[in-house]
Amino acid sequence: MDKIKASKDIDYRRRHFVGTAALTVAAAQLGMIGVVDAQSGKATLPSVKPGSHTSFGPLKQIDAGLLNVGYAEAGPADGPPVLLLRGWPYDIYSFVDVTPLLASAGYRVIVPYLRGYGTTRFLSSETFRNGQPSAVAVDIIALMDALKIDKATLAGVDWGARTANIIAALWPERCKAMVSVSGYLIASQEAGKMPLPPKAELQWWYQFYFATERGRAGYDKYRHDFSKLIWQLASPISDFDDATFDRSAKAFDNPDHGAIVIHNYRWRQALAEGEAKYDELEKRLAQSPVIGVPTITMEGDANGAPHPEPAAYAKMFSGKYSHRTIEGGIGHNLPQEAPQAFAEAVVDVTSES
């Protein structure tokens, strides 16, 4: 098997090197030209200004597990696959500048809408609208199966980082490497019951709000304004404009969005039941499994969202590991606020695995 894998790797590098000229033409159309180091096979990415891109082009749809998943795709079909995952209250546009960077370097980039977001829909109206973390992770495994992707680099933020963490911990054979903003985010209902110091509890105000019927109704009624407030609090120095927010806010019009979000936060506090079919997965996650795949964790220096300190989670990664703090007033929406740094982390962690 090792010989076969080595042969495939060598064959890919040869094809990738030969195909660099074609990729350069495609990248030039985006105004971006990456350079590939023929010795290491590692791409040197061009610089990109946040907000340079405002569209992914036509989205794709595919049946995967319980869902018909909407996703953006870019880059060569035979390139090393990378899945970019985002969480609440954001969407695939967090990666709108990251995606062409990675595509120009030869990666096959997949950016899916999670359940309850954008054009992703449940295949059955009878399916329980479950937001528990293990269910979202199973969705991504099903998507990889549908796309015939055996193994991919996973890079995520917020719910997306947690999803990447879960897959790396429970299905390491499917995760080549990982980039995780805010580090190790696997938790459990039991952990969610533990009280935190008052300042930490204050940061979770929306979680307590969502625990009430008033909160559920309030989020339905003021979803746009509520989400924009979270953006402002989570990235207090960011100067995103209305157009940037509005592009993402369209993803929250999904008919299942409110149910998924409310269930996610209520489940975390053991105020809502999950589904029995995920019990064994949640039991394993409650043991805080150590992650062994190569990992780079990241944090913005101005992240206003609740997040642990890097020193608190470094021991949870047993494989090749490093942490990067991105300076310059970077908030919670790190890939959209610092796309080059995020894309470089994806390239680095993939080339090292």
Side-chain angles (χ1 to χ4, degrees):
M1 292 296 292
D2 289 341
K3 290 182 179 179
I4 293 173
K5 180 179 183 299
S7 176
K8 288 183 177 178
D9 288 344
I10 292 170
D11 181 60
Y12 168 72
R13 286 196 294 271
R14 285 173 177 166
R15 286 185 289 112
H16 181 61
F17 183 75
V18 171
T20 299
L23 286 173
T24 299
V25 173
Q29 293 176 347
L30 295 169
M32 308 172 64
I33 301 177
V35 178
V36 178
D37 186 329
Q39 294 294 323
S40 66
K42 176 181 172 182
T44 301
L45 300 177
S47 60
V48 62
K49 182 180 178 181
S52 296
H53 301 86
T54 59
S55 174
F56 286 98
L59 298 182
K60 298 181 178 182
Q61 299 287 144
I62 191 170
D63 287 351
L66 301 174
L67 305 170
N68 177 260
V69 179
Y71 65 100
E73 181 170 6
D78 62 347
V82 175
L83 269 69
L84 305 179
L85 309 172
R86 199 42 171 110
W88 179 84
Y90 303 88
D91 80 326
I92 65 174
Y93 279 92
S94 287
F95 304 108
V96 72
D97 288 317
V98 172
T99 297
L101 274 176
L102 294 176
S104 72
Y107 292 89
R108 180 189 181 189
V109 187
I110 307 294
V111 196
Y113 280 115
L114 301 184
R115 55 171 58 191
Y117 291 80
T119 60
T120 291
R121 297 289 188 273
F122 284 90
L123 294 173
S124 172
S125 61
E126 302 300 316
T127 302
F128 176 53
R129 273 37 179 178
N130 184 347
Q132 71 184 105
S134 61
V136 179
V138 170
D139 289 344
I140 299 303
I141 293 293
L143 176 62
M144 292 175 65
D145 289 344
L147 294 173
K148 295 180 172 53
I149 296 174
D150 293 328
K151 197 170 190 176
T153 296
L154 304 178
V157 188
D158 200 82
W159 290 22
R162 182 174 295 109
T163 300
N165 287 184
I166 291 171
I167 294 173
L170 299 185
W171 299 281
E173 71 279 4
R174 307 301 299 270
C175 183
K176 177 179 176 63
M178 179 173 67
V179 174
S180 179
V181 175
S182 297
Y184 187 90
L185 297 177
I186 294 174
S188 66
Q189 287 185 322
E190 284 303 312
K193 294 177 182 178
M194 296 295 294
L196 301 173
K199 286 186 178 180
E201 295 282 32
L202 180 61
Q203 287 188 305
W204 285 110
W205 65 272
Y206 56 87
Q207 181 168 270
F208 298 109
Y209 181 63
F210 287 160
T212 68
E213 182 58 22
R214 180 188 179 110
R216 184 204 61 75
Y219 188 58
D220 278 346
K221 184 175 182 178
Y222 300 107
R223 190 174 300 174
H224 182 281
D225 293 343
F226 194 104
S227 298
K228 193 170 188 177
L229 173 62
I230 296 296
W231 276 46
Q232 292 166 340
L233 295 174
S235 298
I237 302 179
S238 174
D239 58 353
F240 67 89
D241 57 21
D242 288 343
T244 298
F245 172 77
D246 290 342
R247 276 190 291 273
S248 287
K250 292 177 182 178
F252 314 147
D253 293 334
N254 183 295
D256 301 307
H257 179 78
I260 295 295
V261 170
I262 296 301
H263 184 264
N264 176 280
Y265 287 104
R266 289 184 179 180
W267 182 90
R268 292 195 206 182
Q269 297 189 75
L271 299 176
E273 294 292 330
E275 292 180 271
K277 63 183 178 180
Y278 301 113
D279 286 352
E280 182 58 32
L281 297 179
E282 297 294 353
K283 183 178 179 181
R284 293 168 62 188
L285 295 173
Q287 297 172 3
S288 300
V290 172
I291 294 173
V293 306
T295 298
I296 292 176
T297 57
M298 305 184 76
E299 193 60 82
D301 64 342
N303 186 0
H307 63 277
E309 291 299 318
Y313 52 71
K315 65 181 181 296
M316 302 308 298
F317 301 97
S318 62
K320 189 164 186 178
Y321 170 74
S322 63
H323 175 80
R324 300 177 182 182
T325 297
I326 310 303
E327 299 181 348
I330 304 303
H332 188 55
N333 196 6
L334 192 151
Q336 195 160 11
E337 297 173 49
Q340 185 173 355
F342 191 85
E344 287 174 350
V346 172
V347 171
D348 290 346
V349 78
T350 303
S351 65
E352 294 170 0
S353 61

